[in-house]
Amino acid sequence: MPDPGPSPLQSSLPAAVASFGAHVLASALAAGAEPATGAAHVEPSPPALPVLPTGHPVPTPAVVSVPVPDEGAAAAAAPQASAALERILRGPSGLGTTSLHWGRSDAPAPTAGRPIPGLYHHPVPEPDPVRVEELGRRIKAWALDEVSLYPEDWEDQFDGFSVGRYMVACHPDAPSVDHLMLATRLMVAENAVDDCYCEDHGGSPVGLGGRLLLAHTALDPLHTTKEYAPDWEESLLSDAPRRAYRSAMEYFLQATTPSQADRYRHDMARLHMGYLAEGAWAQTEYVPEVWEYLAMRQFNNFRPCPTITDSVGGYELPADLHAQPAMQRVIALAGNATTIVNDLYSYTKELASPGRHLNLPVVIAEREGHSEREAYLKAVEVHNDLMRDFEAAAAELAVTCPVPSVQRFLRGVAVWVDGNHYWHQTNTYRYSLPDFW
C-alpha cells in the first residue's frame, strides 16, 4: 500500500491526546505513517557474493515527543481501550480510504484445515492468490539459484511449507511483492537455521552455540583485522543456513533503515538465545517448569517476524517509539501468543518425530501431573490469556499514543498474529490436530 502522504509527527502530541476520540485513529491512519528512509518499491538487485552486510547512511531522525500520561489519565483512558483496538483493526473510513482496509474481516473461515476448538483467534481473508503464486515462484528461485538452500530431495518439504501463502496472509498491507520478499527470505533463512542446526535435518544441541554464533555474524558482521577477515568472509558461504542469512540480510539492508536493521539483529539474538536454552535442556534431559518454558519461548519464538511489519509495509516506526516499554510489551505478547499457536498445531507432528520434543502441553503434563488431553486444553487457555493480554496492551497503547506510525504498526502486528494462525490452521501438509474433542 503506497504511503499516502507525510506524517504529522511534528504536531503537538499532548494536544492530540487531549482531543483523542472516535475519529483520531481513522484520521491518523488515513494520513499515513512515517515513510522509511530508503524504503524500496522495486526489487533490490541481488547482492554480489561475497558482499557483506553494510547498512546505509543514517537518515535524519524525526523529532517525536511522546506523551507520558499519569496514572489518572491512564485510568480514564481504559474504557476506551476496546473501542480503540476495534477501530485500529477496522481501519479508517470515509472518502478515499477503501484501499487502507486490510487484515481482519468478517470473511468466512478458510476451508482448509480446522481451527483448534476453543482457541481464541480471528479469521482473515484468503490471501491474494496472484501474490501467493508470484511470491512462491520468487522465493523458490532465490532458495535454489541464489543460495543453494536445500538438496533436491527436500523440495516437497519446501513446497509444503507454503511460505508464500504464509507471508501474504501476514502482510496484507505490503505495497508490492518486492516488499513481501524481504520478510519471506528472512523467514526461510530462519527456518533453515532451525532445521539444520537445531532440528530434524542434521541439527543437534551438541556444539549448537558455536554454529549459531558464526551464523549470527551473517546478520551482525564481524569487524576484525585484515589478516582474518577473508576467513570469516569465506565462512559465510560454507553452509546453507549462513548463505541464506547473508543473502536475506543483504536484501533487507538495501530496503530499510539502519535502525530497522539493528532492531531485527537484536530480535534475532533473542531468538538464538532461546535456541541455546532449549538445546541445553535437551542435552541434560531437563524438563523445565511451566514458567521456565514460557520464559524460553519468549526468546525462541516468532518475534523477529512481526517486529519488521513496518519494513514490509514500506514505512518506519521510529526507534524511540519502538523502544517504548509499552510497545515492547505488545510485541513480546504477540510473539508469545503466536508461538504457543505453533506448539498446539505442531503437537501431533512433534510426538511422531524421533526423540522428545518440548512443547507447552508436554511440559504442563510433566510438571503439573495432567493427562495429555488435560495438558493440551490447559495450553489452549494459556494461549487465550496471552492473546487477550496482547489485545488489551495494544488497545491501551493506541489510546495513550495516537501517533500515526504507532497506530499502523499496532494494526500490522495484530494482523500478523492472525495471519500466523491462518497459516497454521490451513497447512494440513504439516499439521493435524490431536483427537481430544
Side-chain angles (χ1 to χ4, degrees):
M1 181 173 66
D3 193 283
S7 164
L9 287 178
Q10 306 289 344
S11 63
S12 170
L13 293 183
V17 171
S19 63
F20 184 77
H23 302 291
V24 171
L25 293 181
S27 61
L29 283 167
E34 185 71 8
T37 301
H41 290 269
V42 296
E43 179 72 2
S45 58
L49 298 177
V51 174
L52 307 177
T54 54
H56 2 192
V58 178
T60 303
V63 179
V64 181
S65 174
V66 181
V68 182
D70 58 28
E71 292 182 3
Q80 303 177 62
S82 179
L85 182 63
E86 183 181 348
R87 285 194 299 274
I88 291 174
L89 298 174
R90 186 174 63 243
S93 61
L95 187 63
T97 62
T98 302
S99 64
L100 298 179
H101 289 261
W102 46 274
R104 293 180 180 176
S105 75
D106 296 325
T111 55
R114 67 183 179 108
I116 293 170
L119 191 78
Y120 178 52
H121 70 282
H122 303 280
V124 300
E126 287 292 320
D128 179 355
V130 175
R131 281 195 165 192
V132 170
E133 182 178 1
E134 176 62 12
L135 191 60
R137 183 192 66 78
R138 290 196 197 183
I139 192 61
K140 193 167 184 178
W142 173 79
L144 290 173
D145 302 335
E146 291 193 43
V147 298
S148 300
L149 185 66
Y150 59 86
E152 198 171 300
D153 57 348
W154 291 9
E155 184 172 3
D156 287 347
Q157 295 177 55
F158 185 87
D159 293 341
F161 193 80
S162 300
V163 68
R165 189 160 50 90
Y166 194 174
M167 293 295 96
V168 174
C170 287
H171 297 285
D173 71 327
S176 68
V177 175
D178 301 333
H179 288 80
L180 286 166
M181 278 293 291
L182 299 176
T184 309
R185 292 187 201 92
L186 292 171
M187 167 66 82
V188 169
E190 290 163 25
N191 276 274
V193 170
D194 190 24
D195 285 345
C196 297
Y197 285 3
C198 308
E199 296 288 348
D200 51 359
H201 285 303
S204 167
V206 179
L208 178 59
R211 295 193 298 275
L212 284 176
L213 184 144
L214 295 178
H216 193 81
T217 66
L219 307 174
D220 197 350
L222 176 65
H223 301 278
T224 189
T225 65
K226 291 182 180 180
E227 179 181 359
Y228 296 107
D231 292 336
W232 167 64
E233 294 176 11
E234 184 178 355
S235 78
L236 297 183
L237 308 177
S238 62
D239 65 11
R242 278 184 269 190
R243 288 193 300 271
Y245 263 3
R246 188 213 63 80
S247 176
M249 190 64 181
E250 185 68 22
Y251 279 109
F252 192 70
L253 287 168
Q254 291 181 35
T256 58
T257 68
S259 64
Q260 287 174 312
D262 204 53
R263 178 206 307 173
Y264 179 75
R265 292 188 190 102
H266 187 186
D267 280 348
M268 289 302 292
R270 286 179 164 123
L271 175 67
H272 293 157
M273 185 160 60
Y275 285 171
L276 290 175
E278 187 173 21
W281 291 340
Q283 280 190 284
T284 58
E285 299 183 345
Y286 176 68
V287 177
E289 299 286 350
V290 176
W291 73 266
E292 292 176 318
Y293 177 81
L294 291 172
M296 181 272 290
R297 272 315 222 175
Q298 180 162 309
F299 293 85
N300 178 4
N301 78 7
F302 286 110
R303 181 181 178 130
C305 302
T307 203
I308 63 170
T309 187
D310 57 336
S311 301
V312 184
Y315 68 100
E316 181 176 17
L317 176 68
D320 54 347
L321 294 178
H322 178 266
Q324 290 293 314
M327 181 63 78
Q328 289 295 300
R329 174 169 168 76
V330 168
I331 297 170
L333 286 168
N336 293 349
T338 54
T339 302
I340 302 307
V341 165
N342 180 262
D343 276 13
L344 293 167
Y345 277 97
S346 64
Y347 177 74
T348 57
K349 176 175 177 282
E350 291 184 346
L351 287 183
S353 301
R356 185 176 197 175
H357 290 259
L358 289 183
N359 56 53
L360 185 57
V362 166
V363 173
I364 290 175
E366 177 78 17
R367 284 298 190 175
E368 298 186 356
H370 293 299
S371 68
E372 290 184 356
R373 178 181 181 275
E374 292 169 340
Y376 189 93
L377 297 181
K378 183 169 183 180
V380 170
E381 289 306 312
V382 171
H383 163 271
N384 292 350
D385 287 345
L386 289 168
M387 272 290 289
R388 294 186 182 104
D389 288 346
F390 157 67
E391 293 190 343
E396 182 178 358
L397 181 56
V399 170
T400 58
C401 189
V403 179
S405 58
V406 169
Q407 307 301 318
R408 185 173 178 186
F409 189 85
L410 290 173
R411 194 155 151 245
V413 172
V415 172
W416 197 96
V417 168
D418 295 341
N420 176 75
H421 174 267
Y422 162 89
W423 176 79
H424 279 86
Q425 175 194 328
T426 58
N427 195 329
T428 54
Y429 174 88
R430 291 172 62 88
Y431 305 123
S432 61
L433 301 186
D435 186 19
F436 288 154
W437 299 275

